[in-house]
DNA sequence: GTCTATAACGAGATAGAC
DNA sequence: GTCTATCTCGTTATAGAC
């Protein structure tokens, strides 16, 4: 028995280990406050872990922890992307669904929860190799997911590759614009334009 | 005589006052390091001004100074936008010119000098009203500039307004992607796609 | 694996002489 | 307007008991 037995509501919340609590808290804080704006003490507080535990699991300190949190955000956004893009056989409609989902989540968080990694990505350009690598991997992952769906929709491989980059970039930019304007409009309009662009292929 | 007479090379560099040196230094540092990553002491050092001078001109402290620096970055990017968009009668070509200019500057700075305000914008969402306002004004300014050129190119007013938002957002996203990938490709490809999108209007 | 204490340093901001 | 000294607080990181 490695975990304390909790007979009531065992399926509600799977007990999550300290390490994962730290990673999740870090991911959320980086999303909202960026890398420099987030302190390790705040992370340990929010994760309900002690400072000693944080350095126990991440001896590399803040950078190592941030890189792991970026990978967490990577997968989080990938899940949303796959859900949205798989929602319709029409790829244009699917992209519009994506922007709608992003807009809904953004409004629900009072425009706080944008892209989980963009702020940290911008802050660490050319200054934190471990983080930069995780960021680059995330973008590559998202592009690959979009490429796959574009190819499945009948777009040629090379066109699909290029378009996927534009789709991901444009979602990033639109999410930033929506946060700044505190409005869903930039995301929704951009979804419409992306669908229109995709419709010109084939 | 308000300024010391310098008879030699008077046109080379117009002597710039302390206040402006501080604003310029802040703008550049915010662009590269973001808001939380930039210290006032570093600013005063880089601007060759004393800490006392910084607080003399900006009694509101870091927030007031950052807001002013955002306005500086606003105008800086607006100049580039106007130059690029005015470079051709064909609006698609003009947008491609813009992305080419951005790509060139980005590479020249070793992928450091992206959008002058996006990092600070992301970091301060919902946490620094004076900065948020300056950021929102900058985006509105850039959208207005693009809208004007789209209308001049014969696109209907409402379409132009929506497209301008997408153009600005997409440039933002593509610049981020280019910095991360350390490659001009995201910007150049995005320029091509934007031109293609614009060509479907009329 | 968890906890507390603390070292070493830098941040934003202020005071007051000049 | 400029300069220096300083206050107070928070930061990352480490040490070592439990």
């Amino acid at each position: 028995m490695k975990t304390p037995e909790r007979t009531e509501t065992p399926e509600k919340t799977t007990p999550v280990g300290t390490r994962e609590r730290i990673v999740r808290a870090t991911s959320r804080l980086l999303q909202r406050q960026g890398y420099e704006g987030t302190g390790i003490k705040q992370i340990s507080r929010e994760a309900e872990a002690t400072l000693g535990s944080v350095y126990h699991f991440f001896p590399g300190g803040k950078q190592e922890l941030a890189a792991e949190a970026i990978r967490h955000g990577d997968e989080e956004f990938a899940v949303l992307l796959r859900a949205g893009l798989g929602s319709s056989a029409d790829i244009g409609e699917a992209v519009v669904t994506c922007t709608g989902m992003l807009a809904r989540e953004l409004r629900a968080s009072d425009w706080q929860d944008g892209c989980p990694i963009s702020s940290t990505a911008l802050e660490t350009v050319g200054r934190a190799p471990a983080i930069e690598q995780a960021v680059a991997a995330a973008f590559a992952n998202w592009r690959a997911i979009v490429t796959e769906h574009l190819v499945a929709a009948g777009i040629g491989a090379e066109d699909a590759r290029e378009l996927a980059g534009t789709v991901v970039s444009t979602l990033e930019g639109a999410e930033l614009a929506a946060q700044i304007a505190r409005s869903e409009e930039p995301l929704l309009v951009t979804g419409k334009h992306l669908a229109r662009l995709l419709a010109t292929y084939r």
Side-chain angles (χ1 to χ4, degrees), chain A residues 28-198:
Chain A
R28 262 180 41 99
L29 289 170
L30 289 187
Q31 177 178 42
R32 297 191 171 205
Q33 309 179 342
Y35 183 70
E36 296 288 351
T38 301
I40 294 201
K41 280 184 177 164
Q42 186 186 12
I43 289 171
S44 76
R45 206 182 320 125
E46 216 103 334
E48 300 186 275
T50 63
L51 198 55
S53 292
V54 174
Y55 279 97
H56 169 74
F57 287 108
F58 302 94
K62 197 179 179 182
Q63 257 198 55
E64 183 186 347
L65 177 49
E68 187 67 26
I70 294 295
R71 285 186 277 274
H72 179 87
D74 172 0
E75 193 44 47
E76 185 179 291
F77 192 74
V79 166
L80 182 141
L81 216 46
R82 278 190 279 257
L85 292 180
S87 70
S88 167
D90 180 313
I91 187 68
E93 258 184 52
V95 167
V96 168
T97 299
C98 278
T99 57
M101 291 169 69
L102 290 172
R104 202 169 51 81
E105 289 195 4
L106 206 50
R107 174 183 288 279
S109 69
D110 195 29
W111 319 105
Q112 294 272 310
D113 295 346
C115 170
I117 77 169
S118 57
S119 185
T120 300
L122 277 168
E123 284 175 282
T124 55
V125 168
R127 3 172 46 89
I131 298 174
E132 290 186 84
Q133 204 198 352
V135 166
F139 266 71
N141 185 28
W142 302 340
R143 277 200 314 270
I145 291 170
V146 175
T147 300
E148 196 184 311
H149 281 86
L150 292 176
V151 168
I155 295 179
E158 177 59 11
D159 284 340
R161 193 190 65 79
E162 288 191 352
L163 282 166
T166 293
V167 168
V168 172
S169 293
T170 301
L171 292 180
E172 291 289 333
E175 191 139 35
L176 169 61
Q179 288 186 269
I180 288 169
R182 300 178 64 85
S183 161
E184 298 184 359
E185 207 215 350
L187 273 166
L188 302 183
V189 169
T190 290
K192 184 175 76 172
H193 288 152
L194 279 177
R196 185 171 176 130
L197 171 64
L198 295 180

Side-chain angles (χ1 to χ4, degrees), chain A residues 4-15:
Chain A
E5 44 272 285
R6 298 243 230 91
T7 44
E8 64 266 14
T9 66
E11 78 293 358
K12 201 93 188 248
T13 37
T14 312

